[in-house]
Amino acid sequence: DKLERSGGHAEIVTLNSSKRTAPRALAVGPSRTGSDSRMNVHKMASSTAHAAGIDRVLLGLFRDCGWSLSLERMKSIVDREAACGVNLFSPQAFLYSIAGARGTSGAASQFHQATYWPHYRLFADYAARLGFALSQGKHKAQAALFYPIKSFQYEQEQHPDSAIVAMISEYFDIYHTYLPKEHVDFDVLDEDSIKKAMSLDERLMIQGEEFELLILPPVTAIGYETALKLREFVEDGGKLLATMLLPMRDADGDRHDDVAAIFEELFDLD
């Protein structure tokens, strides 16, 4: 899935949801936890917007829902995406005609051919008001989830069939799935975002976001500059939670011993 920035009077992060493959990426495809990988991607899109100080996250809806789509199902989908941080909804396929291939391929029309069309205004008003409400105020998430893409790619290149590759991806997906179930809101932070953040009052702060907890899925490699930022965060009183594995390699250079020393110190390892 592709994240884009749109220009104009307001900056918008756009989700191109027509693509369903993302090679060499995390949290895509079938999941043993039963999570919807699209929700993971949409949560990552809203996290990108928050880290960049962008107010709106746009998502095209209902492209592959078929003719059985109902107003009840449409509201359920909008509510789910809103919970992931999407706040600008763009329903697809208002077709003037469904003659020929248009009636059997692609998205089902949501125009006058749909049985729910006479009541569509109720849904449109709801989605518009929900999106507006979610674009106001200040987003506040208690936790941040580290995006271990460099570690994942390193392990995939070195040991493509190893259990570590599966462990990194699976635990990242587990956190994506179960943090919302525990009513813990979070953003996904990559290394570039962390390097731009500052630590103050026991919080990791970036573009108005304030995180008191940073969660590391299993990670074997991380940039040295990122490791320094994490040490600064912990020394300021922030909470750092690691899972199963700690970084022991520099993902951006050759300061492997320095990276290992930082995490051995942070977690009091002999």
Side-chain angles (χ1 to χ4, degrees), residues 16 54 70 99 142 160 215:
N16 179 359
I54 298 173
S70 65
Q142 180 183 8
I215 301 171

Side-chain angles (χ1 to χ4, degrees), residues 202-247:
E202 303 179 357
R203 302 287 193 276
L204 189 67
M205 308 181 73
I206 177 171
Q207 291 289 348
E209 300 288 334
E210 302 179 8
F211 306 104
E212 64 182 73
L213 170 66
L214 178 62
I215 301 171
L216 298 178
V219 180
T220 59
I222 198 170
Y224 175 68
E225 292 185 14
T226 306
L228 290 177
K229 279 289 186 178
L230 296 185
R231 182 173 68 182
E232 178 185 325
F233 171 57
V234 173
E235 289 176 346
D236 186 61
K239 302 177 182 68
L240 183 64
L241 174 66
T243 310
M244 303 294 287
L245 301 173
L246 288 175

